[in-house]
Structure formats: structure tokens, C-alpha cells
Amino acid sequence: MIAALITVSIALAGYIATYLNGLRLAQRQERLVRITRQLAEFYGPLLAMEEVGLLSYAAFSERHSRPDGQSPFDHDGTPTDQELAEWRIWLSTVFIPNIKKMREIVVSKADLIIEAEMPPALIQLCAHAAGYEITAARWGEGDYRENFSAIPYPRLEISRYVRKSFRDLKREQNRLLGGRRP
């Protein structure tokens, strides 16, 4: 009888250990799937679009710099009509579509953010995009008095946030895959 009780106890302990290990592995797999989605559908595309925006703005600034090498918008003086016309072309074809794509990622994939609440930089990004839609609508009516969004682009905040989040998620993904932390 004692031998049977020991056998049952060992079997029960084995079953519990197997169950808990299976549960732990399932939770780990679910975490890995979520992180992969966060990287593939939110932070990866957002980082790529941020990089595109930075490179595009650098190209605009280099291509349309004044003789002193500065952007027309880095001066105390007013940009010329020709500089503003070129700015509107770049805005309409490159910058605004890029910012709208970033906003779409934030709005449509908000469930994938790491935080419990929407980060202020992402809210400001969305507001910035909306501000440019108003500006572009005025251009469509022939009103070129405004050339910027009413809400500034949170360049440093977005850049830091997206890079850090992407890096942290990649580290966690690597850890869950059994790799070393970079």
C-alpha cells in the first residue's frame, strides 16, 4: 500500500511538473508571438517610416540649402516663394504621405504598443499629421499662407521612443528564441 501511494505520488508530481512546464512553454510561445507581431506590424514599420522621413528631410535640406549650407527654414529670414513652392512639393509627395502612413500604423495597430497608455509622442505624431491635412487642404484651395502643420513634429521623442522600443523588443525576442542578449 505504501509502495502504491509512493508510485501515485510520483506520478502525480510528474504530471503536475509536466503540466506546469507545458503551461510555461505555452506562455513563452504566446509572448514570442506577440513580440513578433509588435515588431512586424508596429515598431518595425514605424521605425522604417521614421528613418525614411529623416533621410528624406536630410535630402531636401541638402538639395535645397542656401549658399551657407543651411536649410531655408533654419534662417531667421523668410523663405523665398521658390523655396516655399519646392517645400510644398516635397511635403505633398514625400513628407505628408510618410507621416500619414505613420499615423495609420499608430491608429490601426495601437493594441500592439508596449505601454498601458498611448505615449504622448505618438499622440503628437497623429496630431501633427492631422495639422498637415488642414494645411494641404488650404493649398488645394490656392491658399499658401501656411506651410507647416499647426502641431510640431516630435522628431526627437518619436525617434528615441521607436528606436528604444524596437531594440528592447528585439532583445526580448532573441532571449525567448534561446539566443544571447546582444
Side-chain angles (χ1 to χ4, degrees):
M1 169 118 154
I2 291 180
L5 187 55
I6 291 173
T7 303
V8 169
S9 296
I10 291 173
L12 183 59
Y15 170 77
I16 290 172
T18 300
Y19 171 77
L20 292 176
N21 188 49
L23 181 62
R24 184 184 63 78
L25 290 174
Q27 289 171 337
R28 181 184 186 117
Q29 181 62 28
E30 286 176 23
R31 177 74 179 130
L32 180 59
V33 167
R34 176 158 174 80
I35 287 172
T36 300
R37 278 194 65 223
Q38 287 173 305
L39 287 166
E41 298 175 26
F42 191 85
Y43 291 100
L46 208 54
L47 179 59
M49 298 311 297
E50 169 66 6
E51 287 292 323
V52 165
L54 292 174
L55 290 172
S56 298
Y57 185 78
F60 167 81
S61 295
E62 182 180 320
R63 196 165 222 210
H64 300 287
S65 63
R66 290 188 172 170
D68 64 2
Q70 290 188 337
S71 165
F73 304 104
D74 292 339
H75 288 82
D76 291 333
T78 305
T80 66
D81 287 343
Q82 184 180 354
E83 289 170 333
L84 288 172
E86 191 65 29
W87 173 246
R88 286 190 295 269
I89 290 170
W90 278 74
L91 272 171
S92 299
T93 58
V94 179
F95 302 131
I96 292 175
N98 190 62
I99 291 166
K100 287 171 78 174
K101 286 177 188 172
M102 292 174 75
R103 180 183 60 187
E104 179 59 30
I105 292 166
V106 171
V107 171
S108 68
K109 303 292 183 174
D111 63 309
L112 296 174
I113 65 170
I114 297 169
E115 297 79 11
E117 295 183 15
M118 184 67 69
L122 295 179
I123 294 169
Q124 189 170 348
L125 167 73
C126 293
H128 175 73
Y132 262 129
E133 288 181 342
I134 297 297
T135 302
R138 286 188 179 130
W139 295 342
E141 295 175 354
D143 180 352
Y144 300 109
R145 290 177 292 173
E146 295 293 325
N147 290 286
F148 300 96
S149 173
I151 289 78
Y153 181 69
R155 187 183 64 78
L156 291 175
E157 296 87 351
I158 285 291
S159 187
R160 286 181 190 141
Y161 172 74
V162 174
R163 280 179 176 71
K164 181 183 182 319
S165 299
F166 185 85
R167 184 178 55 248
D168 291 349
L169 285 170
K170 285 300 285 183
R171 283 185 183 141
E172 180 67 7
Q173 182 186 48
N174 191 42
R175 186 189 68 75
L176 290 170
L177 290 169
R180 286 194 204 169
R181 287 190 174 181

